[in-house]
Amino acid sequence: ATLLYTIKFEDSRVMGDTSVPTGAKRKARSESGKHAASNGVKRRSDPPELESSGATQATLATPVTPATPVAEDSATPQRITFRDVTAAAFRIKSGIVKTPLVRSSALSNILGCDLYFKKEYELRTGSFKERGARNALLKLSEEHKKTGVIAASAGNHALALAYHGALLGTSVTVVMPHVAPIMKISQCQHMGATVIMHGATIAEAKDHAYELKKTNGQIYINGYDHPDIIAGQGTIGLEICGQLEDCDAIIVPVGGAGLIAGIAVAAKNLKPNIQIIGVEAKRCKSFSEALKAGKPVYTPSHVSLADGLAVPTVGYNAFATAQPLVDKTVAVGEKAIALSILRLVEIEKAVVEGSGVVGLAALLDGQLPELEGKKVVTVLCGGNIDTTILGRCLERGLAADFRLLSFTVVVKDAPGGVNGLTQLLAELGASIKDIIHERAWLLEDVFAVRVRCMVETKDHQHTDQIKSKLSAKYKHVEFVAMSDHSTDTRSRANSCGNLFPDN
């Protein structure tokens, strides 16, 4: 039966409550099966306070702590509870639709596990960020609703705040770096948010937002570490457990760690034995480094297709919440990300941004062999990919899948020279995507021309056949290498083998 979450409130003031109880303020609830909370970080092992009478219920008492702004860099981070998540689910239910959980038959057959996609990109602004944004806005005090909120973001968090701020009548100011996509800037402005362009990076934009909040008295809402944001994201975990009760594992993208923290709290309380697996981009493994250090630490980040995960320092509250609940963390490279974007477009007819596909990338990259034969959910957390970036991703995905071949070949600079090359490619079934003549840079032979080609092929075997034929016919031919051509990589389309051992 589908899990139903009925929140019982003892006091009507709960809808106006803006507090997030800290570890020191929580009382032990051992008699009801709830977990004791403390300022330290410990794994929860007891079941949550649930009643199994056909429907599952989470009974909550009314919080009465007054509203206070939350410091994200606190020395005593706040650990989010199952109670916070279920309260958020009740609070946002009128403004957030339940996203579909869909089984992929094709990819399940390829990967050897029962794979389901949680399609968060189908929300109005194209990402899961709406859940936390709406929860945080609804918990504002009347005073803070009047002064409004401010945030620094280059994308999804800004869109979510702008959209729900307009629906709820709360003014939203967004500080965006100059590198933010023009499309997202215009969308935020169209939704009624005040957009301020400042800084070359998100860090500079964030510093400016902090200065503005001091002047304007606005509440700063961190997109991945504010407790209300984390609790809102946790509602995804509630939905997954209701939609697939026998789920064995949930794979979650990790950037600032707010998403995995919220989902882990919800899922581990409902199913203590479920596996929570985090996936980062190799170009910014800030969560892995935090796990090693035992606390959030600065980690240099580099440009990545999964730009939304490039957070140099994970959130303090998010890390304190997620650390004892996450079972495994892996990292994926750019080729695996590009290939996953391509797979989703071709097989699932879904356009998902790089940050949203890393869970699938980890499976395609063969990093999670223990999930074979199990029911697995991966969260497709966003679909806001720039159109030009999408084109680049698809091309790189085709190259990583050995379906694009780039090479240069020297042919006679005479009638029929290039024609012989194109005829050979046509006979081999290759489609020419790009071709360029270069005469000036070929100094050895004035009666020859260098031709640079990019052709589309069917698969790895077809690519090898074309290489063999070109090498046999032409003396001077060079191929652009994409990765090591090991035996394992040749079966990538039909197995979970390690696809990209070199990145």
Side-chain angles (χ1 to χ4, degrees):
T2 303
L3 293 175
L4 301 176
Y5 301 95
T6 305
I7 316 302
K8 297 180 180 179
F9 297 103
E10 298 175 358
D11 191 302
S12 60
R13 291 172 294 173
V14 70
M15 294 307 293
D17 174 66
T18 58
S19 66
V20 178
T22 63
K25 295 177 182 177
R26 295 189 178 98
K27 296 181 180 180
R29 296 168 288 184
S30 57
E31 70 277 5
S32 63
K34 293 183 179 179
H35 306 289
S38 65
N39 287 330
V41 179
K42 298 180 180 179
R43 179 178 294 277
R44 301 179 182 187
S45 58
D46 299 326
E49 179 187 10
L50 298 173
E51 300 173 11
S52 54
S53 56
T56 304
Q57 296 182 328
T59 306
L60 307 179
T62 304
V64 294
T65 310
T68 54
V70 178
E72 63 181 271
D73 297 331
S74 172
T76 56
Q78 300 182 28
R79 195 173 139 192
I80 308 308
T81 67
F82 183 70
R83 179 178 179 228
D84 299 325
V85 177
T86 52
F90 181 84
R91 192 176 292 112
I92 69 175
K93 67 178 183 178
S94 62
I96 301 292
V97 299
K98 180 183 289 187
T99 55
L101 183 72
V102 180
R103 183 180 184 274
S104 172
S105 299
L107 287 169
S108 292
N109 292 334
I110 291 172
L111 295 167
C113 61
D114 208 8
L115 182 61
Y116 294 77
F117 290 126
K118 182 63 171 169
K119 298 186 174 182
E120 288 297 294
Y121 63 88
E122 292 193 6
L123 288 172
R124 172 63 179 81
T125 63
S127 86
F128 73 100
K129 292 285 188 179
E130 288 191 31
R131 298 172 181 270
R134 187 172 183 86
N135 187 49
L137 291 172
L138 284 170
K139 290 196 70 180
L140 291 173
S141 66
E142 291 302 321
E143 177 186 354
H144 291 145
K145 287 178 182 177
K146 294 177 182 178
T147 56
V149 299
I150 188 169
S153 171
N156 292 341
H157 181 52
L159 289 170
L161 279 178
Y163 176 67
H164 287 280
L167 291 179
L168 298 172
T170 302
S171 65
V172 174
T173 300
V174 181
V175 182
M176 306 183 81
H178 292 291
V179 295
I182 296 176
M183 177 186 68
K184 292 182 180 180
I185 296 171
S186 61
Q187 284 181 343
C188 287
Q189 292 172 331
H190 179 72
M191 292 174 184
T194 300
V195 178
I196 299 173
M197 305 302 299
H198 182 89
T201 66
I202 190 64
E204 292 178 7
K206 183 178 178 180
D207 291 340
H208 188 61
Y210 267 108
E211 293 300 319
L212 291 176
K213 81 161 189 173
K214 294 176 184 178
T215 303
N216 302 330
Q218 295 168 303
I219 291 294
Y220 181 83
I221 299 183
N222 185 293
Y224 54 85
D225 201 40
H226 193 290
D228 297 337
I229 292 289
I230 300 172
Q233 321 306 28
T235 60
I236 299 173
L238 296 181
E239 289 184 11
I240 290 173
C241 290
Q243 292 167 314
L244 187 66
E245 294 184 28
D246 54 349
C247 175
D248 296 306
I250 303 175
I251 307 175
V252 187
V254 182
L259 176 61
I260 196 169
I263 289 177
V265 167
K268 285 286 189 180
N269 273 272
L270 293 172
K271 289 178 62 67
N273 294 325
I274 196 170
Q275 276 190 287
I276 303 296
I277 300 172
V279 184
E280 301 175 281
K282 283 187 176 180
R283 297 201 168 197
C284 186
K285 300 194 294 182
S286 54
F287 188 70
S288 297
E289 294 301 317
L291 289 173
K292 292 178 184 177
K295 62 180 180 180
V297 292
Y298 175 80
T299 305
S301 63
H302 306 282
V303 176
S304 171
L305 292 176
D307 57 332
L309 304 184
V311 180
T313 307
V314 299
Y316 286 78
N317 301 318
F319 181 74
T321 303
Q323 183 187 27
L325 301 176
V326 175
D327 298 291
K328 182 177 181 178
T329 304
V330 298
V332 294
E334 299 301 291
K335 291 180 185 178
I337 295 171
L339 182 61
S340 299
I341 293 173
L342 177 65
R343 287 285 185 267
L344 287 173
V345 169
E346 290 186 325
I347 297 176
E348 299 298 319
K349 316 306 176 190
V351 177
V352 183
E353 63 188 84
S355 303
V357 305
V358 293
L360 175 60
L363 291 168
L364 288 173
D365 205 18
Q367 297 197 46
L368 302 171
E370 68 273 18
L371 298 183
E372 185 174 353
K374 295 185 177 181
K375 289 194 175 182
V376 180
V377 173
T378 184
V379 182
L380 303 180
C381 60
N384 291 321
I385 185 169
D386 188 76
T387 307
T388 56
I389 298 298
L390 176 61
R392 297 177 198 171
C393 288
L394 294 179
E395 279 201 345
R396 293 188 183 190
L398 287 168
D401 204 24
F402 294 93
R403 289 159 60 191
L404 278 183
L405 174 63
S406 180
F407 63 90
T408 58
V409 59
V410 177
V411 302
K412 290 182 179 181
D413 192 8
V418 175
N419 182 56
L421 172 64
T422 57
Q423 279 189 345
L424 176 61
L425 293 173
E427 291 170 3
L428 293 171
S431 174
I432 298 175
K433 310 302 291 184
D434 195 12
I435 185 167
I436 301 174
H437 294 120
E438 293 180 345
R439 288 185 175 89
W441 309 110
L442 189 63
L443 303 179
E444 297 86 358
D445 188 351
V446 295
F447 299 105
V449 60
R450 178 183 285 122
V451 180
R452 181 181 300 170
C453 283
M454 182 170 69
V455 299
E456 185 175 358
T457 63
K458 299 174 184 178
D459 51 31
H460 197 300
Q461 289 73 24
H462 190 208
T463 298
D464 282 350
Q465 180 190 12
I466 294 171
K467 285 184 176 182
S468 177
K469 294 291 185 180
L470 288 172
S471 298
K473 182 172 181 177
Y474 297 100
K475 183 178 179 181
H476 301 288
V477 58
E478 296 178 358
F479 302 97
V480 177
M482 287 303 300
S483 67
D484 294 338
H485 294 188
S486 65
T487 302
D488 289 339
T489 63
R490 292 173 183 266
S491 60
R492 84 172 98 268
N494 298 303
S495 75
C496 293
N498 187 359
L499 304 186
F500 306 113
D502 60 323
N503 66 341

